[in-house]
Each structure stands twice: as C-alpha cells, then as structure tokens.
Amino acid sequence: MAKFEISIQIIERDGPFKEFKQDASIVNIKLLNSVVIENVLVIYPNIIAAIKGQSELTFECSQISSVIQTDSNLKERFKSHWIFFGL
C-alpha cells in the first residue's frame, strides 16, 4: 500500500461518501488504536490529499481500521484551511 492510500477494501466497505467536488470527499479516519483523525480530504477513490490542520501524514495507512463521514465533515467543504501533501 502506498504512503497516502487507504485500503480500497476499507473504502468499498465503509463508503460511498458524499463528494464536495468531483471525486473529493472529507471524512474521518479511525485507526486500529481507536484514535480518530478528523477532516481528512480523500480524492478518488482512496488517496489522502490533506488533513485539516496537519502538514504531514502522522500515521501509517496500514493502521486505518475504518472511514466514516459525519455531518461535521460535510460542513468543512465550505472552508479552505488545507495544506496539501506532496503527492
């Protein structure tokens, strides 16, 4: 699995997610240790492009246990506080 890729099996199991732009969704990620990473920008279908308030990925994608989308995530699409990772 590449550094910024969520397992496609997790995306297929937990999705689909509402998009705020074509092929872009904001979600929360739960890790195997139960830590939740909020407001993760995912681009089609499973690439982490940015995390609100973070300038780098602070976990291994192999540690992701689930992906969820909340009402709070859907409201984030109107804000532009994103630092994009160098993909």
Side-chain angles (χ1 to χ4, degrees), residues 51-70:
I51 300 174
K52 184 178 178 184
Q54 294 186 24
S55 60
E56 62 185 45
L57 195 62
T58 59
F59 57 88
E60 297 289 327
C61 286
S62 62
Q63 296 301 304
I64 297 172
S65 66
S66 61
V67 178
I68 58 171
Q69 189 174 58
T70 66

Side-chain angles (χ1 to χ4, degrees), residues 13-66:
R13 180 194 68 206
D14 296 347
F17 305 107
K18 292 184 181 179
E19 299 173 350
F20 74 95
K21 290 272 191 190
Q22 184 175 350
D23 297 333
S25 301
I26 299 171
V27 298
N28 293 343
I29 290 175
K30 185 174 182 181
L31 303 179
L32 294 172
N33 64 3
S34 298
V35 170
V36 175
I37 311 297
E38 296 183 345
N39 299 316
V40 178
L41 177 62
V42 176
I43 55 175
Y44 184 82
N46 63 330
I47 305 297
I48 298 173
I51 300 174
K52 184 178 178 184
Q54 294 186 24
S55 60
E56 62 185 45
L57 195 62
T58 59
F59 57 88
E60 297 289 327
C61 286
S62 62
Q63 296 301 304
I64 297 172
S65 66
S66 61

